[in-house]
Amino acid sequence: MAFLILKYVHVLGAIVLLGTGMGIAFFMVMAHLTRDAVFIARTAGVVVLADFLFTASAVVVQPVTGFFLAQEMGIRLDEGWLVASLALYVVAGIFWLPVVWMQMRLRDLAREAAAQGLPLPPAYHRLFRWWFAFGFPGFGSVLAIIWLMIAKPPL
């Protein structure tokens, strides 16, 4: 029973990482397309909160539950698919941490523009392009990890 609970929590963590990432990307892009600084500031504020509550929690849960699952299943930690998964997890983190900072900065730039009744500044648009670009390797890494976890290919 403990194994099933552990596996369940691990799968839920993967769902949260994938789902929160997709949701955050969707809502940030949709808010950005309005070019409405007030709406963008509010949306980005909620997105930052979601990242801290959901994504950060899952980021901690995943390696912990993964380690114990490997132990329970007798999987060596040097298995190729597992090493590749861990490397991709690091890649995802390398792109996710700056994205969180970018989201906070995008929120703040939108708040400033809204408070002054001005359009979004060029710095906002530049940072949004970086945020968008960082999403592909970060999110792509999570997708690849999920495939590796399911397929466990010999690498």
Side-chain angles (χ1 to χ4, degrees):
M1 184 66 166
F3 171 76
L4 290 177
I5 292 170
L6 192 59
K7 190 172 185 179
Y8 180 73
V9 171
H10 192 70
V11 169
L12 280 180
I15 291 168
V16 168
L17 281 177
L18 192 64
T20 304
M22 287 175 59
I24 283 171
F26 176 79
F27 289 113
M28 284 294 289
V29 169
M30 296 309 290
H32 172 77
L33 291 175
T34 69
R35 301 207 182 282
D36 178 343
V38 173
F39 185 65
I40 292 168
R42 286 186 183 147
T43 302
V46 172
V47 159
V48 168
L49 180 62
D51 246 344
F52 280 110
L53 290 176
F54 301 112
T55 309
S57 299
V59 163
V60 172
V61 166
Q62 286 308 99
V64 172
T65 57
F67 174 79
F68 287 115
L69 276 172
Q71 297 300 305
E72 284 287 321
M73 296 171 70
I75 296 171
R76 292 188 354 249
L77 296 179
D78 64 350
E79 290 280 343
W81 63 269
L82 187 54
V83 171
S85 295
L86 292 170
L88 286 167
Y89 198 74
V90 170
V91 169
I94 287 169
F95 283 93
W96 175 67
L97 288 171
V99 160
V100 173
W101 174 84
M102 288 179 207
Q103 289 166 176
M104 291 187 292
R105 186 70 185 126
L106 289 167
R107 176 201 60 201
D108 295 345
L109 288 167
R111 281 180 180 166
E112 291 168 17
Q116 297 173 8
L118 297 172
L120 295 163
Y124 167 88
H125 294 287
R126 217 174 13 261
L127 189 58
F128 184 84
R129 287 190 296 273
W130 279 106
W131 174 87
F132 191 80
F134 271 46
F136 287 97
F139 193 71
S141 294
V142 173
L143 288 174
I145 292 166
I146 291 171
W147 181 82
L148 287 166
M149 292 289 135
I150 293 169
K152 296 179 180 53
L155 299 177

